[in-house]
Amino acid sequence: MDWVWLVPALPLAGFLLNGTLALARPTAKRAVTVIGVGVLVLAFIVAVGVVRALAAAHPEAPVVFRYWEWIPVGALRVDYALQVDQLSAVMLLVVTGVGALIHIFSVGYMGEDEGYARYFAYLNLFVFFMLTLVLGASFPVLFVGWEGVGLCSYLLIGFWFSEQANADAGKKAFIMNRIGDAGFLAAMFLIFRYTGTLDFAPVFAQAPTAFASGGPVITAITLFLFLGCTGKSAQIPLYTWLPDAMAGPTPVSALIHAATMVTAGVYLVARTNLLFALAPLSSAVVAGVGALTALFAATIALKQWDIKKVLAYSTVSQLGYMFLGVGTGGGAMAAGIFHLTTHAFFKALLFLGSGSVIHAMHHAYHATHAHSDAQDMRNMGGLKAYLPWTAALMWIATLAIAGIPPFSGFFSKDGILAAAFARGGSAPIWYLFWGFGALAALLTAFYMTRMMLYTFHGPNRTGAKEQDHLHEAPWVMTGPLVILGILAAAGGLLNVPALVGGGAWLEHWLAPVTHAGAALVPAAELSHGAEWTLIIVAVAIAVAGMMAAWRLLSPESLVPAAQAQPETGFAKVLYRKWYVDEIYNAAIVRPIQWLSRTILWKVVDTGVIDGAGVNGSAVVSRALGWVGSQLQTGNVGFYVVIFVAGVIAVLYGMVR
Amino acid sequence: MTFLEFNFWAFAILSVVAATLCVTRRNAVSSALWLVVTLFAIAALFVMLDAQFIAVLQVLVYAGAIMVLFLFVIMLLNIGRTGPGDLKGLFGAGVAVALATGLLFLLSRVTNAAPPEAIRLPPGAAAAAQAEQGLIAVVARPLFEAYLIPFEITSVLLLAAAVGAVVLAKRRL
Amino acid sequence: MFLGPALAVSVVLFAIGVAGVLLRRNAIVIFMCVELMLNAANLAFVAFAQQLGVGGQIFVLFVMAVAAAEAAVGLAIIIAIYRHTQSVDLSQINLLKG
């Protein structure tokens, strides 16, 4: 386990080397490939070794490795320290494993791009920061990783920055993240104020005594932390950056906006689960916002035509499920992390698969010099004849996300919903959350089937000339898809519930991390009958959703995007994302811009600081100088008068 | 009022009046001459204060040499005639009188205090010393004994002044 | 014996000298008023010498010597200025204005 420092150090070295190559020799593609992919594969191998050592050691508390003293200021002492425990082990394997697969995929996808070296440099840097985030032993170190992944997200979303829209999307992501980060910082300040430390172990040890259960302080702290999570993990109200982030390259969307960065918020809640257990109101808020977001995003995904946008809203929706899980607490904490893991598998598979599709569409349009949108589903159709492997693997992911047993998504999603329903026994609002989740599951099955239907089935709408150029992706891209497909299919084995005879392996693995918080949550048990009923309901919902999509939708009635009619009515509202972006623009962005322009610039900057401050002090100096110069008359008689007056003054002072 | 006191007050008033006239005459030569009168009156006051040698020196050096020098320069520069008013206007006069009055007031407060007992000599000690050593020896002996060094330095100072005056007044260096 | 009155006369003469310096414009007359002030100081010294010892009189001696030297040099300067500006009126000599 002592080698844990090597895991983040390898991608950092990759960033430095690839960055140098990007600046010095951007055409050295083979070197970049070897370095960029090699460090990730090595990091994964080391991570496996670390986890095996951890499993052999069975520690009850996290193992902390301190490397150097970072901030010694007054009463505050923060070291650069990494900790290895069961939760960070799970995240470690997900980040390095899925990350390595996506790096391999990128070799094929970005192979012809000019910024190849820059891309891999940024990608390596991102993995470094993400690993710092999950391995950090204190809030500040986690925050360094938190901010760093935000930075890399900005760099990668705006990778093709010569297009204004891409640069804007990068800025939008970064700025909305910063709003959340302000909440994170406020929470850190409060934690330090009340416990005097920012390291995880002492904070969690003091928490039950330092904070009154359900009191205003702990509620404020956890709500601020959750504000940071809504920014980073794209929940209501700070989710609008994620669909715009699809402007970046597709592997970036897979890695950052599906598997790893956006799950940082879920990780944070899981890491601080003891604090959330002490604040039942905050836990309810987390679960409620998660459930509502799950439903809300699912409705928007129903009417999107860009394949990546469908997947983006699907990600937002699934993240809502994860928050529902960690918000419910107790055993559902492990269920939330389980869903995080399975979601990483099938969502990465879906994104990479859509990457294959887009890659093929680009090639086709490039060959025929057409300018149609390669990502619009109305331009696709019937692609399973041309991309059979991609189609089959994406169908596996779709079944997983819809929650059809025995694929992985079924086990994780059902775990969350069952826990939510059980919690309803002590707090009825959780039945409402369960209801949202169930409805969202129905919609998920529907829109995913819709996506598959329009993309791979039915008649092909790409165009007669383009069809000759559509072909399957090379093996460097399809290989990772296969591995992810196996994981998506079999991932359920990680946490088979006791109900069906499994060992709930992941839940027991995470027990040392979650048991302190779980003890504070009201125990919720369902009878076996209720559990089986819920399972049957869940499967029925999934199947119903898929069948409804298959029956009600007719890909034959679609026309290519250029000839499509604009949406009308309620469909238009869904297509325009419930106009949330427009509302934010009018209510928040415009007033702030007005404030900056009219008041802060014209009044404060030009008037007060420039006018009174800078010019004003010059005027005052000149005036004082003029006053002084009036004494220089050159007239000796005048000087003598002043002289005598001075003497009188001195004498007066002495005689008093 | 003894004779001595009457004399003292007479010469005191004379000196003040002559000084006032000196300050207010338009003609520069008149000012110089009235200053000479003032110096004579002060010399008389010196005599009454048991400083006879100093009084003689005042007449010889001050009134005799320095004032003659002044008159030489006035004559040389030909400003002896009654010229246009060189007294300042009404406002200037007011300021001058006000400041002078203020100074007068403060200085009178300063000189009101009596010297401390510790350094005072017994009354009549000055006259007794004079009777014992003679008028000049009373001043000369300390001058060449205790104050020898300032005496020598003063001689150097006078030399420097003489050289300086010659150089400054040359027509061509 | 006459310490009080002598000091009073000295102060009055000094004030008259100051008034003269402030009142007049002719450089030579101003100089004479300065000499008047020096004499007032001499008078004070001599008045105190009666009670505090002969050092006062000796100091008067030195004051006279210095006054002589100062008068010589000062008048030489006035002559040099007169050669330059043809006037000893102080209000005409203001090259240092500004």
Side-chain angles (χ1 to χ4, degrees):
Chain A
M1 271 195 282
D2 295 343
W3 294 98
V4 69
W5 64 271
L6 197 57
V7 183
L10 279 166
L12 181 63
F15 160 68
L16 291 169
L17 288 169
N18 280 334
T20 317
L21 282 172
L23 291 170
R25 270 170 97 64
T27 51
K29 289 208 171 134
R30 185 157 318 163
V32 168
T33 308
V34 169
I35 296 172
V37 176
V39 292
L40 251 293
V41 173
L42 281 174
F44 177 66
I45 294 171
V46 177
V48 168
V50 167
V51 173
R52 286 183 62 181
L54 177 74
H58 280 304
E60 276 297 310
V63 182
V64 178
F65 297 93
R66 292 184 189 280
Y67 293 109
W68 66 77
E69 197 179 2
W70 178 29
I71 305 179
V73 173
L76 177 63
R77 168 84 191 271
V78 176
D79 297 334
Y80 181 75
L82 302 178
Q83 74 176 25
V84 180
D85 71 345
Q86 290 79 1
L87 177 61
S88 60
V90 173
M91 299 298 297
L92 205 59
L93 291 175
V94 168
V95 171
T96 51
V98 176
L101 290 172
I102 293 177
H103 275 67
I104 297 172
F105 182 89
S106 301
V107 172
Y109 191 83
M110 300 292 289
E112 289 146 26
D113 195 292
E114 276 182 3
Y116 190 72
R118 179 166 62 102
Y119 173 83
F120 271 98
Y122 288 162
L123 215 60
N124 283 145
L125 184 67
F126 167 80
V127 176
F128 163 70
F129 277 127
M130 190 69 204
L131 289 169
T132 308
L133 197 159
V134 299
L135 286 174
S138 60
F139 283 99
V141 177
L142 192 155
F143 194 62
V144 167
W146 188 272
E147 293 284 328
V149 296
L151 169 71
C152 293
S153 171
Y154 162 78
L155 290 171
L156 285 164
I157 293 172
F159 186 72
W160 293 307
F161 51 79
S162 43
E163 294 275 337
Q164 182 67 33
N166 299 344
D168 287 345
K171 273 192 291 182
K172 183 171 179 177
F174 194 74
I175 293 173
M176 291 195 90
N177 262 235
R178 291 301 274 164
I179 300 174
D181 295 344
F184 195 133
L185 280 170
M188 273 204 282
F189 295 155
L190 283 173
I191 289 174
F192 179 66
R193 165 80 175 76
Y194 282 93
T195 60
T197 174
L198 285 173
D199 290 342
F200 286 141
V203 168
F204 296 147
Q206 295 178 33
T209 47
F211 303 112
S213 176
V217 175
I218 190 69
T219 309
I221 289 176
T222 44
L223 283 178
F224 277 128
L225 282 175
F226 185 57
L227 182 63
C229 296
T230 58
K232 186 66 72 187
S233 299
Q235 297 294 292
I236 293 172
L238 297 174
Y239 70 92
T240 53
W241 63 271
L242 191 73
D244 283 29
M246 296 299 113
T250 307
V252 167
S253 305
L255 180 61
I256 299 186
H257 306 125
T260 44
M261 183 181 100
V262 291
T263 57
V266 182
Y267 166 77
L268 180 67
V269 176
R271 172 63 70 202
T272 56
N273 68 82
L274 180 59
L275 299 180
F276 278 92
L278 284 168
L281 179 64
S282 302
S283 296
V285 168
V286 171
V289 169
L292 184 63
T293 308
L295 181 58
F296 186 74
T299 58
I300 299 179
L302 284 176
K303 252 305 175 188
Q304 296 299 310
W305 291 110
D306 185 326
I307 192 173
K308 283 182 73 174
K309 289 268 192 333
V310 175
L311 293 175
Y313 284 105
S314 171
T315 303
V316 175
S317 179
Q318 297 300 309
L319 286 166
Y321 273 110
M322 291 180 223
F323 278 109
L324 176 59
V326 294
T328 310
M333 191 69 66
I337 299 295
F338 185 32
H339 196 61
L340 190 159
T341 314
T342 59
H343 176 264
F345 298 151
F346 56 68
K347 193 46 71 62
L349 174 56
L350 282 168
F351 265 112
L352 294 185
S354 73
S356 279
V357 169
I358 295 169
H359 189 81
M361 297 284 289
H362 262 304
H363 264 237
Y365 284 138
H366 193 70
T368 62
H369 300 286
H371 291 286
S372 306
D373 188 356
Q375 295 180 205
D376 197 313
M377 291 194 290
R378 291 172 291 198
N379 289 339
M380 301 178 189
L383 290 182
K384 90 168 179 314
Y386 303 99
L387 293 88
W389 280 93
T390 308
L393 289 165
M394 283 186 75
W395 263 114
I396 294 177
T398 304
L399 290 172
I401 194 174
I404 306 286
F407 294 98
S408 55
F410 160 70
F411 290 102
S412 54
K413 198 184 282 192
D414 180 68
I416 294 175
L417 288 176
F421 194 84
R423 187 81 185 264
S426 54
I429 196 164
W430 250 265
Y431 287 132
L432 181 66
F433 298 158
W434 176 89
F436 283 163
L439 191 55
L442 178 69
L443 296 177
T444 304
F446 188 92
Y447 68 68
M448 288 307 298
T449 313
R450 168 182 177 266
M451 186 188 91
M452 298 299 290
L453 201 59
Y454 286 167
T455 308
F456 292 107
H457 297 270
N460 179 266
R461 296 175 290 280
T462 315
K465 285 194 287 182
E466 286 80 2
Q467 284 172 14
D468 296 330
H469 298 277
L470 290 171
H471 57 83
E472 185 66 79
W475 271 106
V476 71
M477 288 166 67
T478 322
L481 290 184
V482 171
I483 299 177
L484 286 170
I486 297 171
L487 287 170
L493 291 173
L494 280 174
N495 198 28
V496 181
L499 184 67
V500 291
W505 184 79
L506 186 67
E507 196 173 329
H508 287 128
W509 170 259
L510 288 175
V513 178
T514 59
H515 75 87
L520 296 169
V521 171
E525 283 298 324
L526 289 175
S527 66
H528 273 228
E531 278 205 55
W532 275 109
T533 314
L534 285 175
I535 290 181
I536 295 172
V537 166
V539 176
I541 287 175
V543 171
M546 295 186 74
M547 301 223 37
W550 199 270
R551 287 286 167 75
L552 293 173
L553 297 173
S554 53
E556 291 80 12
S557 62
L558 287 178
V559 289
Q563 304 154 16
Q565 299 288 331
E567 305 287 341
T568 54
F570 186 61
K572 183 174 183 191
V573 174
L574 289 183
Y575 176 63
R576 296 304 300 272
K577 314 161 276 174
W578 296 89
Y579 295 108
V580 171
D581 271 322
E582 285 77 1
I583 295 173
Y584 280 171
N585 199 30
I588 298 173
V589 177
R590 295 256 186 80
I592 291 181
Q593 282 180 328
W594 174 87
L595 183 73
S596 299
R597 201 172 304 126
T598 316
I599 300 203
L600 290 176
W601 175 39
K602 291 197 180 134
V603 173
V604 175
D605 201 34
T606 312
V608 173
I609 298 179
D610 245 1
V614 176
N615 293 347
S617 55
V619 166
V620 168
S621 298
R622 267 183 132 208
L624 286 175
W626 179 87
V627 169
S629 76
Q630 296 306 96
L631 281 173
Q632 305 270 337
T633 55
N635 189 345
V636 180
F638 177 69
Y639 291 165
V640 176
V641 169
I642 302 294
F643 181 88
V644 173
V647 168
I648 289 179
V650 171
L651 261 183
Y652 181 69
M654 287 171 55
V655 164
R656 265 168 95 39
Chain B
M1 167 91 60
T2 65
F3 183 61
L4 190 57
E5 279 179 29
F6 174 75
N7 256 335
F8 185 87
W9 282 113
F11 279 110
I13 291 171
L14 174 63
S15 70
V16 171
V17 167
T20 311
L21 286 169
C22 158
V23 163
T24 52
R25 292 304 95 199
R26 285 233 183 111
N27 193 331
V29 177
S30 303
S31 282
L33 291 173
W34 277 114
L35 186 59
V36 172
V37 172
T38 313
L39 293 176
F40 267 111
I42 292 178
L45 290 178
F46 281 172
V47 168
M48 284 182 258
L49 288 170
D50 283 335
Q52 296 83 346
F53 180 51
I54 300 299
V56 170
L57 279 181
Q58 168 98 337
V59 172
L60 285 178
V61 171
Y62 236 117
I66 296 177
M67 290 319 296
V68 169
L69 181 61
F70 267 99
L71 282 163
F72 274 171
V73 173
I74 292 174
M75 299 301 182
L76 180 65
L77 300 183
N78 220 0
I79 53 179
R81 280 177 225 125
T82 309
D86 90 283
L87 294 166
K88 289 190 183 149
L90 200 54
F91 177 65
V95 167
V97 169
L99 284 176
T101 319
L103 196 60
L104 175 72
F105 194 57
L106 285 172
L107 283 175
S108 60
R109 294 258 336 258
V110 171
T111 56
N112 259 342
E117 279 295 336
I119 51 174
R120 251 205 243 197
L121 297 173
Q130 280 178 338
E132 188 188 332
Q133 295 172 31
L135 288 175
I136 298 181
V138 152
V139 176
R141 202 168 298 249
L143 180 64
F144 290 112
E145 285 174 2
Y147 298 97
L148 179 62
I149 295 182
F151 174 75
E152 299 296 340
I153 294 175
T154 310
S155 64
V156 175
L157 174 70
L158 288 168
L159 174 65
V163 171
V166 167
V167 168
L168 282 169
K170 267 165 101 75
R171 210 171 272 277
R172 215 167 296 182
L173 279 172
Chain C
M1 197 181 3
F2 289 114
L3 180 62
L7 283 182
V9 172
S10 159
V11 167
V12 170
L13 284 177
F14 192 87
I16 293 173
V18 168
V21 168
L22 296 176
L23 263 175
R24 307 298 297 248
R25 277 207 287 236
N26 191 325
I28 299 181
V29 176
I30 289 179
F31 222 135
M32 287 197 283
C33 297
V34 172
E35 298 293 333
L36 180 57
M37 285 200 274
L38 280 169
N39 271 285
N42 281 349
L43 183 57
F45 269 116
V46 166
F48 275 116
Q50 226 190 6
Q51 302 216 348
L52 301 180
V54 79
Q57 296 187 13
I58 296 180
F59 203 82
V60 169
L61 213 72
F62 287 127
V63 169
M64 279 193 215
V66 170
E70 168 211 357
V73 175
L75 288 168
I77 292 176
I78 290 178
I79 291 178
I81 290 176
Y82 183 83
R83 291 227 185 86
H84 216 269
T85 59
Q86 301 305 314
S87 152
V88 288
D89 187 342
L90 236 49
S91 59
Q92 308 274 336
I93 307 171
N94 58 356
L95 286 173
L96 281 176
K97 183 176 170 62

